[in-house]
Amino acid sequence: ISTARSSQMMISNVTVKEKVSEGNFSVIYQGIFKGRVVCLKLSKDIDTDIMEEADLLANLRHPNILHFI
């Protein structure tokens, strides 16, 4: 997975655990990345502009919003 900021995450470094939630456009899973519990959002539709959302989330900092890595 990569964003316009050139941050990259190798999918082989991610362990997918249980499904947490599902909506119309994506599925959220719990996962493990570098020993940390993370949320994984997988798009159901390839045409969805997930990269735009990833760039936005990568720059957000708020106590009520999970940090995007």
Side-chain angles (χ1 to χ4, degrees):
I1 301 169
S2 67
T3 67
R5 293 177 359 147
S6 296
S7 60
Q8 294 185 355
M9 179 171 68
M10 297 299 294
I11 196 70
S12 61
N13 294 336
V14 176
T15 302
V16 178
K17 297 289 186 178
E18 63 190 71
K19 181 166 72 169
V20 175
S21 181
E22 184 171 356
N24 291 329
F25 301 105
S26 61
V27 181
I28 307 296
Y29 292 91
Q30 180 185 46
I32 305 291
F33 176 66
K34 293 186 176 180
R36 297 176 70 183
V37 176
V38 296
C39 291
L40 306 167
K41 183 175 184 178
L42 303 177
S43 177
K44 291 181 179 179
D45 184 5
I46 296 172
D47 294 331
T48 303
D49 196 359
I50 194 100
M51 297 312 293
E52 214 173 281
E53 183 178 355
D55 286 336
L56 174 69
L57 291 173
N59 294 309
L60 287 177
R61 299 289 180 268
H62 189 276
N64 295 334
I65 299 175
L66 294 172
H67 179 68
F68 181 79
I69 54 174

